[in-house]
Amino acid sequence: MNDQPQISRPDSSKFAATPPFAEPGVPHIRTLNVPGMQALYVKEVRRFFKVQLQTIWAPAITTLLFLVIFTVALGGAGREVIGVPFADFIAPGLIMMAMLQNSFANSSFSLLVGKIQGTIVDYLMPPLAVGELIIALIGAAITRAILVGIALWLAMTLWPGVSVAPQHFWAVAVFGVLGAAMLGFLGLITSVWAEKFDHAAAVTNFVVTPLALLSGTFYSVDRLAPWFQTVAHGNPVYYAIMGFRYGFIGTVDSTISNPVLTAIAVLIAVNIVLGLLTYRLLASGWKLKA
């Protein structure tokens, strides 16, 4: 016979719905951690804004030189492309190209510098879910892209012979954000995979730059050979530049049906795929955690 008193135990079913690692009585964030995301976003924006001459104004001036060179060399004698002056055709593509490259540069630097300097714990330890971390980092990359685009647009408005007045502002905004987000996701994937700055530079030189230069930035795709048009249509950056240019000049250089809607659908699909891949990599801790 067991004469020991029976000790009542708490019903474990009461805590069955408690989130993992959350003990009873311990505060748990059950919604979006908006203050945490805002803090990380502001930290990332301040990081590139402290060196704005290098991260914002230098890319704008460099891209403006492309406009000057190409309009002087190829834009004379009233040359037109798809019914608009050559300078008006090339200007939106240059703005978008600079936005894409700087969005990639910002997001590819964020986690990589933490891995190299040993401060990656500053990104992993705060109470931020993987999705919240991605939102803050992609938001900062899009912010830098927008600032570069605005700086370049302001410079182009002062350049004689170039008209950069938007005809469809909604298209400028939609394609600007979708394109910057796409390269932002690619930058985050690169920062997870890369182990040193040379790896990130290799992706920039052999992936991002060729995609940007072969996307119809400096020429009309409809004048290419049929096989080259097929290659261009398989380049997602082409749809970002085509739609962004449509917002300025009101026409496109594509023979596909419903080109603007097709471009939006392609960019959304690519962003979803890259976003899911980014989430998977960050959630697994690959090359981030011991």
Side-chain angles (χ1 to χ4, degrees), residues 63 66 70 86 89-98 100 209 211-221 237-238 241-242 245 253:
T63 308
F66 279 105
F70 276 88
F86 180 75
F89 171 84
I90 196 176
L94 289 173
I95 295 175
M96 191 60 184
M97 184 180 70
L100 297 178
T209 301
L211 288 178
L213 295 179
L214 298 177
S215 58
T217 303
F218 303 101
Y219 53 85
S220 176
V221 172
V237 177
Y238 160 72
I241 291 180
M242 178 191 69
R245 179 182 287 130
D253 57 337

Side-chain angles (χ1 to χ4, degrees), residues 204-273:
T204 301
N205 295 329
F206 298 109
V207 178
V208 176
T209 301
L211 288 178
L213 295 179
L214 298 177
S215 58
T217 303
F218 303 101
Y219 53 85
S220 176
V221 172
D222 64 351
R223 296 187 179 184
L224 300 176
W227 67 271
F228 212 132
Q229 291 187 30
T230 303
V231 173
H233 290 161
N235 180 4
V237 177
Y238 160 72
Y239 296 98
I241 291 180
M242 178 191 69
F244 193 78
R245 179 182 287 130
Y246 168 79
F248 281 91
I249 66 176
T251 185
V252 297
D253 57 337
S254 177
T255 57
I256 60 177
S257 59
N258 296 321
V260 178
L261 295 179
T262 300
I264 294 176
V266 169
L267 292 178
I268 292 176
V270 172
N271 273 289
I272 291 175
V273 172

Side-chain angles (χ1 to χ4, degrees), residues 119-131:
T119 60
I120 190 65
V121 67
D122 294 339
Y123 292 93
L124 303 179
M125 287 299 292
L128 287 173
V130 174

